[in-house]
Amino acid sequence: RSQVDFARDRARRLGLGPDQVEYILDDYRNIPRHVARCDKFASICMLEHVGRQNYRAFHRLIAQVLRPKGLALLQFISRTKPSPISNPWLEKYVFPGYYNPSLGEVVRALEAHSKGLQVVDLENMRFHYALTLRHWLERFEQNAASIGAMWGEAVVRTFRLYLNGGLADFSHGCGTLVYQALLSNGADNAAPLTRRRVFEAAAVASRSSLGPELVRA
C-alpha cells in the first residue's frame, strides 16, 4: 500500500491526472475485473512470485486481456537452468516464496498455453541489471544512517549483503540472469523490424520536461 501511495503522490507532482495513469492495489489475477482489454501489458519482476505451477494461468490471463496483435513485455529474474533449490538466505530475509524461473520454464508454459501468444523479441539484460544494482548500492550507502535509524542495523546489514551479492552475481555471470521477453498476441507483420524506434523514443523523452524525472525514477 505504501508503494501505491508513493506512486500516486509522484503522479500528482508530475501533473498526471487520473485520466492518464491509475494505480490499483489488487492481486494480479483480478486484472480482468479492472481492465476488459488492453493494447499493451507489462509485468516487471513479478513472475518470480507467480509460482511455477501458475505460469500457464498467467499466460492465459495475458491473452485474455490483450487485444489481437497487442504486445506484452515480461521482465523477470532468471537462472541458467531449472532448479528446485532457491537461496535459503534470500528466501528467509528478502524474498519469501520466490522462485527464479529458467527461460525454458517460461517458454514451455507459453507453448502449452497455445492461445496465440508468441515471443517476438528476447534480450538478456544481465549486465544492465548489474549497473542498476551498482546505482542502488550507491544510493543505499548514501542513506544507510537514516535507514538504520528507521529500521535498525540488522536491516542495514541485510540489504547491504543483498545488494553486494546481487551486484557480484550479475556482474560476473554466476548463473543469475534477467530477461526481457516481448510477446505478441498473434502475428503482426506490421511491427517494426528493428529496435531503432525504442532508442529514438528514449532520446526524445530525455529531452522533454519529464525526461530527467523519469530517468531518475
Side-chain angles (χ1 to χ4, degrees):
R1 187 174 300 278
S2 61
Q3 292 174 335
V4 172
D5 291 341
F6 177 88
R8 288 171 177 165
D9 179 67
R10 172 68 65 86
R12 284 193 295 268
R13 288 191 285 116
L14 290 175
L16 300 175
D19 59 326
Q20 295 173 287
V21 60
E22 181 182 7
Y23 295 95
I24 298 172
L25 181 64
D26 202 349
D27 190 296
Y28 78 92
R29 287 167 291 193
N30 294 330
I31 288 176
R33 296 182 184 177
H34 307 285
V35 178
R37 302 300 292 270
C38 61
D39 299 308
K40 302 292 191 301
F41 185 104
S43 172
I44 308 300
C45 288
M46 193 277 293
L47 191 60
E48 301 90 318
H49 306 281
V50 167
R52 286 179 290 179
Q53 71 279 9
N54 297 318
Y55 292 157
R56 295 185 186 184
F58 180 65
H59 293 322
R60 284 196 296 270
L61 183 145
I62 295 175
Q64 177 184 348
V65 300
L66 199 60
R67 291 190 177 95
K69 299 183 180 181
L71 297 175
L73 178 70
L74 307 184
Q75 176 174 307
F76 57 96
I77 306 298
S78 183
R79 61 180 75 198
T80 52
K81 59 182 178 180
S83 173
I85 302 174
S86 295
N87 184 303
W89 185 83
L90 284 177
E91 174 81 29
K92 182 175 182 179
Y93 293 106
V94 184
F95 295 123
Y98 88 102
Y99 176 77
N100 296 337
S102 71
L103 179 61
E105 288 177 296
V106 175
V107 173
R108 281 193 294 273
L110 182 64
E111 292 172 344
H113 168 64
S114 70
K115 289 291 185 180
L117 290 178
Q118 53 187 262
V119 178
V120 295
D121 195 15
L122 181 67
E123 186 173 6
N124 184 349
M125 308 289 288
R126 175 186 65 82
F127 194 67
H128 295 255
Y129 209 68
L131 298 176
T132 297
L133 279 162
R134 185 173 298 162
H135 284 289
W136 284 350
L137 182 58
E138 290 174 357
R139 293 182 179 188
F140 176 83
E141 293 297 353
Q142 291 169 2
N143 295 278
S146 59
I147 295 171
M150 184 179 297
W151 299 105
E153 185 60 27
V155 170
V156 173
R157 293 198 304 269
T158 295
F159 280 87
R160 178 174 287 136
L161 178 59
Y162 160 62
L163 291 171
N164 277 284
L167 176 58
D169 195 353
F170 284 99
S171 295
H172 300 287
C174 300
T176 306
L177 311 168
V178 57
Y179 284 107
Q180 286 189 348
L182 185 65
L183 314 179
S184 175
N185 195 15
D188 183 7
N189 294 338
L193 294 178
T194 71
R195 297 173 181 165
R196 175 178 294 179
R197 72 170 185 171
V198 175
F199 300 109
E200 291 175 345
V204 171
S206 67
R207 294 192 296 267
S208 71
S209 59
L210 293 182
E213 183 69 29
L214 293 177
V215 169
R216 285 196 296 271

